[in-house]
Amino acid sequence: MYKAILDEDTYISIFEERHSQELYELIISSRDSIRNWLEFPDQTNSVDDTRAFISRSLNRFANNNGYWAGIWYKEQIAGSIGFLSIDWDAKRTEIGYWLGSKFEGRGLMTNACKAFIDHAFNDLNLRKIEIGVATNNIKSRAIPERLGFTQEGVIRNYEQLHNQFLDRVIYGLIIDEWQ
């Protein structure tokens, strides 16, 4: 399966069923920090839930419509990054990501995003990448800003999470801006 070496300690690899337990343990250990911004930690209650997620991701991969990969740091799963879907007509995708709390501040997600951007533009021949982030998620917003994405707008009341409505800022990067 797909694997990309980022540096001597870090690589990205598409999720396979054998990663279910390790992924589940990371989600549980980081639930409190991840759930502030994403819905899935509260919906992940067993290894079977992560196994089902990986199965759905592999089906999307097989259908050429995105996938999720793990980010491994020193042989431990540190987080996840994925193409949420791919619009082949518009040649556009959206990158989603999250990182386990004990792996923050090491540049792992920025490097993983760089690899995904290169892959999207150079291998998949896409023309645009978007990243959507809750407006108050300062750490997550720093990644597209650091990588040269343009803030394209804010969608108000984008989602309801924990009985509050969150706005989402949308960042975009066009191939000509990356090269």
Side-chain angles (χ1 to χ4, degrees):
M1 293 303 248
Y2 165 80
K3 183 175 182 178
I5 306 296
L6 301 182
D7 60 40
E8 61 195 31
D9 293 324
T10 316
Y11 67 90
I12 300 170
S13 180
I14 195 163
F15 280 124
E16 299 176 46
E17 188 175 318
R18 65 188 172 96
H19 300 127
S20 298
Q21 180 69 40
E22 190 177 6
L23 179 59
Y24 175 71
E25 290 171 7
L26 179 65
I27 293 167
I28 296 308
S29 69
S30 301
R31 186 186 308 259
D32 289 341
S33 63
I34 301 169
R35 75 183 295 272
N36 289 328
W37 310 111
L38 299 168
E39 195 172 42
F40 79 88
D42 290 339
Q43 299 169 346
T44 305
N45 299 305
S46 70
V47 175
D48 286 338
D49 293 334
T50 56
R51 190 173 292 112
F53 162 75
I54 290 170
S55 177
R56 287 189 306 273
S57 176
L58 289 170
N59 283 335
R60 286 188 12 218
F61 179 71
N63 291 320
N64 208 20
N65 191 28
Y67 61 89
W68 281 89
I71 303 165
W72 275 264
Y73 176 71
K74 295 187 176 182
E75 300 303 321
Q76 291 184 306
I77 189 164
S80 183
I81 185 168
F83 292 127
L84 303 184
S85 65
I86 299 174
D87 182 336
W88 292 104
D89 292 331
K91 297 192 176 296
R92 177 182 59 81
T93 190
E94 181 178 354
I95 295 176
Y97 50 79
W98 63 271
L99 200 58
S101 55
K102 73 179 186 176
F103 296 98
E104 293 176 357
R106 300 171 195 254
L108 299 175
M109 193 56 71
T110 299
N111 289 337
C113 281
K114 285 179 186 176
F116 259 58
I117 293 165
D118 283 338
H119 179 56
F121 289 150
N122 298 327
D123 301 325
L124 301 178
N125 297 313
L126 300 178
R127 297 201 38 80
K128 183 176 183 192
I129 300 169
E130 295 175 352
I131 294 177
V133 180
T135 55
N136 294 335
N137 190 343
I138 303 305
K139 289 180 183 179
S140 192
R141 288 183 67 171
I143 293 166
E145 291 171 0
R146 188 177 304 121
L147 293 172
F149 280 69
T150 299
Q151 181 177 327
E152 296 186 340
V154 174
I155 303 173
R156 297 176 297 157
N157 288 322
Y158 179 81
E159 63 188 333
Q160 185 179 12
L161 190 62
H162 312 301
N163 296 318
Q164 65 178 353
F165 287 92
L166 301 179
D167 295 346
R168 178 161 293 212
V169 60
I170 305 299
Y171 293 94
L173 181 70
I174 296 171
I175 190 170
D176 299 335
E177 299 165 340
W178 185 245
Q179 300 177 6

